[in-house]
């Protein structure tokens, strides 16, 4: 069995997942020009699955395929960032309120383990895993509230928002502040203090608004 089949069942899916991760984690920086031929050679696959992966990534607005010019990694669109942040804020404020009344022991254990692992990753500067744990923290809240499908729906709307979050984590973030907010939210949910936890969630998701001007000034070539 090939490495591609082991990972995702098809060469196209393997190419797509690998390229998507490289873009999200800034291994392929916004504005970088890439070609099917180069990527196929790098991944040791044929050009057809790479072309299909390019098309899928273009649909997700992670690649810009420009006729007669080539393909570039799309720049982070701050209008899309704000739209993603806006919808997450509106929904997640309701999610934490719901979680206050229905966070069972199994979800409490998962959240405590998640927060503990965030602290370990922060101490080791493991940005990739810290981002995954940050995502998982929020996903657990959706699952605890019986809203798993809503979480999946949000992922497509939040691609540019998540790209900015990863840039922030990898370059300039105050991890301790983010983790502290997660701890505060968890404790407020346990105590069923709805108003306070809703306010903390709003503040948490508005950190990006505060930080994006600084990131845009420092990395202007990453943004449109």
């Amino acid at each position: 069995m090939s490495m591609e089949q082991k990972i995702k069942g098809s060469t196209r899916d393997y190419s797509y997942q690998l390229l998507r991760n490289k873009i999200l984690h800034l291994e392929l920086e916004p504005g970088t020009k890439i070609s099917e031929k180069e990527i196929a050679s790098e991944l040791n696959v044929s050009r057809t699955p790479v072309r299909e992966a390019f098309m899928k990534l273009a649909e997700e607005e992670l690649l810009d395929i420009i006729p007669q010019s080539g393909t570039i990694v799309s720049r982070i669109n701050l209008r899309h960032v704000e739209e993603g942040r806006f919808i997450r804020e509106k929904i997640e404020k309701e999610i934490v309120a719901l979680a206050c009344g229905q966070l069972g022991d199994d979800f409490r254990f998962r959240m405590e383990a998640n927060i503990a692992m965030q602290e370990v990753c922060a101490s080791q500067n493991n940005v990739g895993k810290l981002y995954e744990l940050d995502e998982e923290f929020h996903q657990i809240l959706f699952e605890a509230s019986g809203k798993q499908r809503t979480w999946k729906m949000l992922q497509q709307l939040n691609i540019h928002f998540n790209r900015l979050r990863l840039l922030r984590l990898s370059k300039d973030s105050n991890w301790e502040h983010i983790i502290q907010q997660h701890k505060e939210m968890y404790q407020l949910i346990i105590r069923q203090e709805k108003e306070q936890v809703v306010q903390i969630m709003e503040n948490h998701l508005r950190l990006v608004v505060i930080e994006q001007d600084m990131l845009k000034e420092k990395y202007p070539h990453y943004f449109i």
Side-chain angles (χ1 to χ4, degrees), residues 21-49:
N21 285 336
K22 283 177 176 288
I23 293 168
L24 287 176
H25 290 274
L26 300 168
E27 292 176 42
L28 286 171
E29 296 184 348
T32 303
K33 191 169 184 177
I34 60 175
S35 74
E36 291 175 10
K37 182 178 180 181
E38 290 171 357
I39 296 297
S41 176
E42 180 184 333
L43 302 184
N44 195 26
V45 300
S46 66
R47 290 181 66 170
T48 299

Side-chain angles (χ1 to χ4, degrees), residues 46-196:
S46 66
R47 290 181 66 170
T48 299
V50 173
R51 183 176 305 118
E52 293 171 346
F54 272 30
M55 295 301 295
K56 190 171 181 180
L57 290 164
E59 289 175 7
E60 293 184 359
E61 301 173 339
L62 290 173
L63 289 181
D64 294 330
I65 299 174
I66 305 166
Q68 314 306 322
S69 179
T71 300
I72 66 167
V73 177
S74 68
R75 291 179 171 84
I76 298 170
N77 187 315
L78 289 175
R79 293 190 307 278
H80 294 174
V81 169
E82 172 53 25
E83 186 176 1
R85 187 211 60 77
F86 171 83
I87 194 67
R88 272 194 69 168
E89 178 189 315
K90 300 306 177 188
I91 292 176
E92 290 206 48
K93 285 163 70 173
E94 297 297 325
I95 290 292
V96 288
L98 284 173
C100 282
Q102 53 198 65
L103 197 68
D105 289 343
D106 52 341
F107 288 109
R108 291 189 186 198
F109 175 81
R110 287 176 62 189
M111 296 197 79
E112 288 177 15
N114 173 279
I115 292 168
M117 282 299 298
Q118 286 182 44
E119 293 187 309
V120 171
C121 289
S123 70
Q124 296 179 355
N125 291 335
N126 189 335
V127 174
K129 185 62 177 174
L130 186 60
Y131 171 76
E132 290 175 11
L133 289 163
D134 188 340
E135 283 285 277
E136 182 187 58
F137 176 89
H138 292 267
Q139 184 176 355
I140 292 169
L141 291 172
F142 279 78
E143 292 178 4
S145 305
K147 299 290 186 289
Q148 296 93 320
R149 293 171 71 246
T150 305
W151 172 258
K152 289 181 180 178
M153 177 201 74
L154 285 175
Q155 298 314 297
Q156 180 62 37
L157 286 172
N158 275 275
I159 285 174
H160 285 264
F161 179 59
N162 289 340
R163 291 176 77 191
L164 188 70
R165 289 173 57 222
L166 268 163
L167 174 61
R168 171 181 133 208
L169 280 172
S170 63
K171 304 290 188 182
D172 298 281
S173 182
N174 182 348
W175 295 351
E176 290 75 15
H177 184 47
I178 293 169
I179 295 170
Q180 183 59 37
Q181 285 187 330
H182 286 159
K183 288 179 178 178
E184 289 177 19
M185 281 189 276
Y186 175 64
Q187 292 300 326
L188 289 167
I189 289 169
I190 296 300
R191 297 198 297 267
Q192 298 190 25
E193 298 182 22
K194 287 187 181 182
E195 289 185 13
Q196 293 92 325

